[in-house]
Amino acid sequence: MLNTIVLIRTDNFDKALTALADLVRYGGMKIRGTPRIIPPALSDWAFEQIVGEKPKKKVKAHVVAQIDLPASKAIGRIRDIHPPAHIIVIPVGSPVHKELLRLWGTFKELKGFHPPKEIKRLENIENEEDLE
């Protein structure tokens, strides 16, 4: 089974690591395998293909990761969590997805990512809201 890919574009790799942890911790997603660093030109191309316009902001960190959710669910959850990075969801079967998978083995692994323990934080937040 193929996984949806997320492209994370941000100022530095610390923010990229935080964004990945947020996807797991608050978005309830599982990161499959190790996130990878991709070249800026490929990141800009992927952004343009998915978003339909050139990126307005130059960023220094370009990371891709495979997640366990369909694109539509991932987009909704990312909207809810506001991670410290621009995250683009790349649907399975799209030309960008196919190209990223083709090149996957050539990308350098992102060091320092350890998925946080899955936290029941969402349930706690919902329970607190019930109390109000």
Side-chain angles (χ1 to χ4, degrees), residues 1 18 48 72 74 102 118-119:
M1 187 182 96
T18 301
E48 195 171 337
S72 55
R102 188 180 73 76
E118 291 183 37
I119 295 176

Side-chain angles (χ1 to χ4, degrees), residues 6-53:
V6 289
L7 168 62
I8 299 168
R9 298 168 49 89
T10 189
D11 302 328
N12 58 57
F13 290 105
D14 285 342
K15 284 184 181 175
L17 288 167
T18 301
L20 285 164
D22 286 356
L23 293 180
V24 174
R25 189 177 285 131
Y26 306 118
M29 301 176 202
K30 278 195 170 57
I31 306 291
R32 306 260 183 194
T34 306
R36 307 285 178 132
I37 298 167
I38 68 169
L42 183 60
S43 172
D44 289 350
W45 172 80
F47 179 100
E48 195 171 337
Q49 294 298 306
I50 299 295
V51 177
E53 58 188 50

Side-chain angles (χ1 to χ4, degrees), residues 99-115:
E99 185 64 8
L100 290 174
L101 279 187
R102 188 180 73 76
L103 295 169
W104 197 265
T106 67
F107 302 145
K108 193 172 150 199
E109 289 189 359
L110 177 66
K111 299 283 183 237
F113 178 69
H114 306 286

Side-chain angles (χ1 to χ4, degrees), residues 47-65:
F47 179 100
E48 195 171 337
Q49 294 298 306
I50 299 295
V51 177
E53 58 188 50
K54 289 189 182 304
K56 292 179 179 71
K57 188 177 176 202
K58 284 275 179 237
V59 295
K60 292 189 175 83
H62 307 266
V63 175
V64 287

